[in-house]
Amino acid sequence: VSHCWDEGVYEFVDKVLLSWPQRARHAYCCMLSNPQNWDISNLLSTPATSPFARALMRADYVLAVPNARCGIYTRIWCVYEAFLAYQSNKLIY
């Protein structure tokens, strides 16, 4: 799940549930997977081996979650995730 951290949890859940691919059974979402109160800069120093990229490369689908406050592609990580998904021929929802 690619999102830009500018949405509230209710908006996020609503959009995920409305856009969920029928065959999808699992999701990786950084806000639920990465320790949010730790310094994870060492995990991000090489984008290609970051938790985001590793999860995306194993995924069948990528769910890009927009929000009402800003465009998700104003965030570099969302752009990078879209690039990886496109480059890897992933289905993007």
Side-chain angles (χ1 to χ4, degrees):
V1 177
S2 183
H3 71 110
C4 78
W5 287 94
D6 207 10
E7 66 279 336
V9 68
Y10 294 114
E11 180 183 11
F12 176 80
V13 170
D14 284 346
K15 298 233 171 124
V16 167
L17 292 176
L18 287 172
S19 303
W20 189 258
Q22 278 189 325
R23 293 182 171 207
R25 297 292 176 254
H26 311 283
Y28 170 87
C29 186
C30 61
M31 71 178 175
L32 302 173
S33 302
N34 294 336
Q36 298 303 311
N37 57 346
W38 293 0
D39 177 5
I40 62 168
S41 58
N42 62 325
L43 297 175
L44 307 176
S45 60
T46 306
T49 61
S50 69
F52 305 96
R54 292 174 62 199
L56 193 144
M57 296 313 291
R58 295 197 58 184
D60 294 323
Y61 315 99
V62 175
L63 182 58
V65 180
N67 69 75
R69 297 178 119 184
C70 74
I72 66 170
Y73 299 116
T74 61
R75 294 287 308 256
I76 193 67
W77 274 106
C78 294
V79 172
Y80 183 63
E81 289 168 343
F83 166 75
L84 287 180
Y86 178 78
Q87 185 180 48
S88 303
N89 295 316
K90 304 291 181 181
L91 293 175
I92 303 170
Y93 290 86

